[in-house]
Amino acid sequence: MAKSRKSSHKPTRFRLRFTFWLDMHKSDEHELAETIDDLKTRKLFAKSVRDGITLVVSLMEGRLDVLFSMYPWVREEFEKRAGMRSAEALEAQLNRIEQLMGQGITLPVDMKVQPSGAGPKPLKAPSFALPRFDDDDELDTLIINKSTSTNAALNFVNNMKNLQQ
């Protein structure tokens, strides 16, 4: 069996270049141009563009996984603000409820085991009576006979006459 030799040349790279314009008369775009210049100086521009586009597309799709993987501290802040500090805090709350139940203390049925202000709240709407359909028996019954005629216009006119009777 013959040995294969490794090729000594590098494979050609396939690269694309994208350009865009900034309007320097707009203050936010002027500031962005300065930020781009700083990123280029630190050799972070291309990576920042790739990361930024990946992040924006994932957020547009409703996904947070890319954001959380790039910035783990955002997940921590997000969970803290959502009232879900950690699995340990939830477990501690369940243990307290279990202890109360073990002591014979019953929890009210309407007690919500969720942070205050969270979850659905009942609407304060006035009550109203549902419609009644007892007057259906007083109405005349409309009887429609199927016509075998192929003249659609004549069928229409005859049915209109039957409605007047």
Side-chain angles (χ1 to χ4, degrees):
M1 194 183 285
K3 288 186 177 180
S4 64
R5 284 201 240 167
K6 287 188 176 180
S7 175
S8 62
H9 71 281
K10 286 185 176 180
T12 57
R13 291 171 37 175
F14 181 70
R15 297 175 9 158
L16 297 174
R17 178 184 174 129
F18 297 93
T19 57
F20 62 98
W21 300 98
L22 294 175
D23 185 350
M24 297 306 282
H25 293 292
K26 295 180 180 176
S27 62
D28 58 334
E29 291 189 22
H30 185 273
E31 195 174 308
L32 185 58
E34 290 175 358
T35 302
I36 290 171
D37 189 45
D38 180 53
L39 288 169
K40 284 183 174 184
T41 302
R42 296 186 292 148
K43 299 185 188 289
L44 294 172
F45 177 67
K47 180 182 180 342
S48 297
V49 170
R50 286 190 292 269
D51 288 350
I53 292 172
T54 303
L55 176 61
V56 167
V57 169
S58 71
L59 292 174
M60 287 170 43
E61 292 172 350
R63 295 181 11 244
L64 298 174
D65 57 325
V66 175
L67 174 66
F68 292 157
S69 68
M70 286 181 175
Y71 306 102
W73 62 269
V74 173
R75 176 189 292 273
E76 294 167 11
E77 187 65 25
F78 187 80
E79 289 175 347
K80 183 173 80 174
R81 289 187 184 199
M84 312 234 355
R85 290 178 193 90
S86 66
E88 293 85 20
L90 182 59
E91 188 174 340
Q93 186 176 9
L94 290 173
N95 287 338
R96 284 192 303 271
I97 291 172
E98 191 176 50
Q99 285 175 351
L100 289 172
M101 293 176 79
Q103 294 172 359
I105 299 172
T106 58
L107 299 173
V109 175
D110 64 340
M111 181 179 172
K112 295 173 178 59
V113 184
Q114 52 184 300
S116 63
K121 295 183 174 120
L123 292 175
K124 294 180 181 175
S127 61
F128 58 91
L130 294 174
R132 295 185 355 228
F133 300 103
D134 4 344
D135 60 345
D136 283 351
D137 296 335
E138 298 170 10
L139 298 175
D140 293 331
T141 304
L142 178 65
I143 299 173
I144 299 174
N145 296 322
K146 184 176 180 180
S147 173
T148 56
S149 170
T150 56
N151 188 340
L154 181 62
N155 286 341
F156 177 74
V157 171
N158 287 337
N159 282 324
M160 293 303 289
K161 286 181 184 175
N162 288 338
L163 287 174
Q164 290 180 350
Q165 296 174 357

